Amino acid sequence: MSMLRSSHLGALLLATSLAACSDSRSSVGPRSSEGQDPSTITRSDTKGTAVSTLLGRATFADPKDENLKISRKTGDWHFELKAKPAFDIAVQSIAFAAGAQSGWHSHPGPVLIQVVSGTMTFYESDDPTCTPIVRTAGQGYLDLGDHAHIARNETTSASQNIVTYFAPPGATLRIDEPSPGNCPF
């Protein structure tokens, strides 16, 4: 079956929520290429600390068809997600101290970032003017993951993000990248 029914979408969303609340040690796939404890990773620099906590990770596949397709229409709203043969969803909480930043990095797939408290500023490596993209609590940021970028808390207060990764099964979620040189930091 190439398309999952609406009831399967509800089950997928429920499973995603449960995966986000599960013990990360029983989740599928590697969590970090850095050799650190996979459930919590701390990054510190001279400006501040960012603490990443993996809340859960799970692999989604359609055992009847390697072309996984989830589709839903409700009135004027349309949603579609495709993957071949499967995908992982990982959910992470990232706390940024005042002045902390993520370092330049990319991802193997798209990433949905929810700023749940504070203010975050994002910069893209392919922007020659290094234009800040500012998001405050209650706003989201879509990161396609296909080029280097950086997340920075440029305020004097802490910030909290909930991050949802879509990735190939078992893939490392973060790929460290060198500074592209388009920003002064």
Side-chain angles (χ1 to χ4, degrees):
M1 175 182 349
S2 66
M3 187 167 124
L4 296 176
R5 291 193 164 87
S6 299
S7 62
H8 290 119
L9 178 60
L12 174 68
L13 294 175
L14 176 60
T16 301
S17 298
L18 293 173
C21 297
S22 71
D23 180 346
S24 63
R25 289 172 192 11
S26 64
S27 302
V28 176
R31 308 301 181 259
S32 169
S33 61
E34 301 169 304
Q36 297 179 16
D37 175 358
S39 60
T40 302
I41 297 172
T42 302
R43 293 183 183 279
S44 296
D45 63 17
T46 58
K47 297 183 181 194
T49 301
V51 178
S52 303
T53 304
L54 184 68
L55 302 175
R57 182 172 181 162
T59 299
F60 293 87
D62 183 347
K64 298 176 185 170
D65 189 344
E66 75 169 15
N67 295 302
L68 177 65
K69 181 177 178 183
I70 301 163
S71 183
R72 176 77 190 263
K73 291 172 92 176
T74 304
D76 291 338
W77 183 75
H78 300 244
F79 177 84
E80 188 169 281
L81 177 67
K82 296 180 193 179
K84 181 179 178 180
F87 65 94
D88 278 6
I89 292 179
V91 179
Q92 190 174 46
S93 174
I94 307 176
F96 287 86
Q101 49 101 4
S102 65
W104 288 97
H105 64 282
S106 62
H107 305 283
V111 179
L112 302 174
I113 301 166
Q114 303 170 59
V115 179
V116 294
S117 68
T119 300
M120 291 299 297
T121 306
F122 302 90
Y123 297 90
E124 303 289 338
S125 65
D126 64 351
D127 176 8
T129 63
C130 192
T131 305
I133 303 164
V134 179
R135 297 291 188 264
T136 58
Q139 294 182 321
Y141 179 70
L142 171 62
D143 171 9
L144 292 178
D146 58 350
H147 59 272
H149 53 276
I150 192 169
R152 294 169 49 100
N153 179 355
E154 298 179 339
T155 73
T156 58
S157 300
S159 183
Q160 182 79 30
N161 295 338
I162 298 295
V163 181
T164 303
Y165 301 86
F166 293 85
T172 297
L173 300 175
R174 175 194 163 100
I175 304 157
D176 288 330
E177 301 281 359
S179 173
N182 64 318
C183 295
F185 44 83

